[in-house]
Amino acid sequence: MDVNEELKVAAWRKATKSASNQGNCLEVAPLSGGRVGLRDTEAPEKAPFVVSATVWDAFIDGAKNGEFDF
């Protein structure tokens, strides 16, 4: 299945904390090969970003370690 077809049937999910933000946040979906799709809940019709497993893991590690805290 090509990535565009995979994105159409992907199991999109968002953080439970998005409810306190009127549901406006990012959604993520696991894809084949460990890739991850990312899309804006306010514009789900726009093309999502797709990142590799390595990029996703680095982002999650950085978030857990406070690298993106303001």
Side-chain angles (χ1 to χ4, degrees):
M1 176 182 309
D2 86 349
V3 71
N4 291 322
E5 291 300 316
E6 193 173 3
L7 287 166
K8 288 179 187 176
V9 298
W12 293 98
R13 65 180 191 248
K14 57 187 170 181
T16 55
K17 286 191 174 189
S18 69
S20 63
N21 192 25
Q22 290 76 44
N24 298 322
C25 65
L26 290 176
E27 293 178 310
V28 299
L31 303 172
S32 63
R35 296 171 302 162
V36 176
L38 302 155
R39 71 179 182 185
D40 184 346
T41 58
E42 294 178 317
E45 73 284 354
K46 291 189 178 179
F49 289 100
V50 176
V51 297
S52 69
T54 303
V55 169
W56 181 249
D57 290 344
F59 173 76
I60 294 300
D61 186 59
K64 287 179 179 178
N65 289 315
E67 292 179 25
F68 308 114
D69 293 353
F70 292 105

